[in-house]
Structures are given as C-alpha cells and as structure tokens.
Amino acid sequence: MPYPARDLSNPVFTCGHSRLAVGTPLLAGSAEESIFPRLTDTKQIGAFSVCRHGEWLLGQAQTPLSPDLEAATQLLYKDLLTASAGYSLCRIWNYLPAINKSGTHGEENYRLFCLARSQAIESVLGLNFPQNLPAASAVGTDNNSLSVLFAAHSGRTCHFENPEQVPAYYYPPEHGPRSPSFARATVLTSLDSKTIFISGTASIKGHKTSFPNDTSAQLDCTLDNLRLISATCGLGNNLAAEYAIERHFKVYLRHAADLDFVQSNLVRTLLLPSDQVSYLRSDICRADLTLEIEASIFTPLT
Ligand code: 3EB
C-alpha cells in the first residue's frame, strides 16, 4: 500500500531551528508532535543540542553509525548522561537504522544497541542504574543515522512497571547480551501538574512476544498492556481520558497496510477526538512485533 513519504519532522520538540528528521514516515495523523513549545536558548553539550523550557531540559542528537552502531550508541549515551546531569530523566526516544538486521558478529542491531546502551549507562551511573531508568522507546528509522532525544526535568520522577510484564531491564539473555534499559512509565510531578510518559508498548506478556506477526491480536494485547500501565500509574484504566489536559499518542506500524484496521480500532477503543495522534511506518525492535504505541499525558495534580 503506498503511503505519503512525509516524515514526522519534529518528533517531540524543536530546539532552536534544528528540526530532527528521524526517518519514520507519517502514515496518518499529526505531522508534528509538539509536546513542548518551540524552544530557544540552545547550547551544544557533546553530540546533543540542548535547550531549556522552564524546569524542562530537552536534548536531541543525531549521529552517523561510526565506526559502528555500538560505538555511536556508547558515545551518545555518555553525552546524554553528561547533558542531563543534575536533572531527572523523564523520557528517551531512540531511532535505529536497520533495527532488525544483523550487525557485528551476526547479532541483531537492536540487541547491539541494547548492549552498548546498558554498558554506557552502567559506566556512568553504576550497577544500580536500572532503578533510575526512565520511560523510553526504540524503533527503526529509514535513514542512516542514530537519533536520540531526551526530556529531563528538575522535579521528582517515579518509574512504574507493568504487573504482567517482566521489567525490560530484567529480560533474560535469550533477548540479547544485555537487557533493554527502560521503565514502562515515568511520572513527573511538578508544582501544578503531572506528566506521564508511557514507553513504547507492544504485545509482550512476561518477557515473550504474544501473537507473533498477528497485528489484530497484538493490538488487543497492546491495549491491554496500556490499560495495565495506566492503572499502575494512577490514571485509571483509560489513560486519564476524563480529566487529562492533553494526550499524545504515537502508533508505530511495521506494515503500512495495517493502517486502516489499526486506526479504526483505536478510534473505537482508545482515542478521544481531542487527542494528538500520529501513525508512523517503522520497524519495531523485535522482528515478530508488528506494532507499538506510546503515550505522553498531561494531567492536573489531583
Ligand atoms: C518491549 O516491551 C518492546 O529498548 O528502549 C519498548 C520500549 C521496547 C522501549 C527500548 C523497547 C524499548 O520490550 C520494545
């Protein structure tokens, strides 16, 4: 099925005038996800363009895979931790070229990325790093650069796990030489509001893929996982549908042909007309996963 080759050129925020093209073609919905307003006051910290907005610190970096994906990941993550030092990390977005292809030693690129990310974070934060990991996503990109964005804040964060999923940082070695480094959700409480970042959510129960390559069943399982993490974060079963100030969703589809089915299902089961939603064509981190959904939600304090 043909799809418009437009890119979601601003995946999360714009630092100064630099708009990152992360290489996930837009299938439907909003061409921009503007979680934060246009930001100024950009400075460069290592590979990251960093800007401040109130108590928020936002950073974005894009780098070629040189000399390889592992080296590029190590460098970016060390820079990310330097740039965000003194702040609470709330959310990280990762975009990987050829995410399901094999790289060095025949290992899949996503697994190499997980290895290098984990090593880099451990080298800076020490062995107890899993308890400080924020919400994240790691999806494929059609371009040749590794892109990483982060949102950090000077306030306090709490991280949450889905009771029906093994925490990703405890996944067993069958999923790769080092486990993925992220929490299922991060809640930031500031003076008058809460921001809830729900990580990329897919059809995984325990640590195993449920319904490999079956988009319809994976969608039901993903919605179930979204309900479970919603309740765990204190948002009820429906991601604060009744009282949220703003809700943003990104839906990543491996197969563009699944768009109509997924979109009509989500309009029935999950979405409100006021939600900001983007449907993107992207490979997912496991070859047998066909979709992933992430959410960022702003609520009053209550
Ligand atoms: C999963 O639950 C599906 O490696 O940063 C979701 C969110 C997934 C983040 C990451 C991976 C990541 O394991 C994939």
Side-chain angles (χ1 to χ4, degrees), residues 241-302:
E242 295 91 9
Y243 63 96
I245 300 164
E246 249 182 73
R247 306 199 311 168
H248 298 239
F249 293 91
K250 293 219 288 288
V251 182
Y252 299 96
L253 298 177
R254 183 181 292 279
H255 307 298
D258 286 338
L259 175 66
D260 289 347
F261 168 76
V262 171
Q263 192 171 17
S264 59
N265 182 304
L266 291 181
V267 164
R268 264 197 334 272
T269 56
L270 175 75
L271 300 173
L272 301 169
S274 53
D275 292 334
Q276 216 190 92
V277 190
S278 304
Y279 295 86
L280 303 156
R281 214 308 297 162
S282 179
D283 291 337
I284 316 296
C285 65
R286 291 187 188 180
D288 56 11
L289 288 173
T290 66
L291 77 123
E292 177 172 314
I293 301 176
E294 66 179 56
S296 305
I297 295 170
F298 299 79
T299 73
L301 252 194
T302 57

Side-chain angles (χ1 to χ4, degrees), residues 94 110 114 117 136-138 171 180 182 184 199-200 202 204 285 289 292:
N94 303 284
Y110 174 64
C114 285
R117 171 175 60 175
S137 51
Y171 280 173
F182 69 96
R184 300 287 172 194
S199 291
I204 292 172
C285 65
L289 288 173
E292 177 172 314

Side-chain angles (χ1 to χ4, degrees), residues 154-183:
S154 50
R156 215 171 61 82
T157 50
C158 279
H159 309 296
F160 292 90
E161 291 300 316
N162 180 328
E164 294 188 5
Q165 294 185 299
V166 174
Y169 43 81
Y170 293 145
Y171 280 173
E174 66 189 81
H175 301 291
R178 282 247 189 161
S179 311
S181 306
F182 69 96

Side-chain angles (χ1 to χ4, degrees), residues 97-113:
I99 189 168
N100 303 128
K101 298 260 157 58
S102 0
T104 335
H105 320 301
E107 190 77 272
E108 189 190 44
N109 281 325
Y110 174 64
R111 295 173 176 218
L112 292 169
F113 166 78

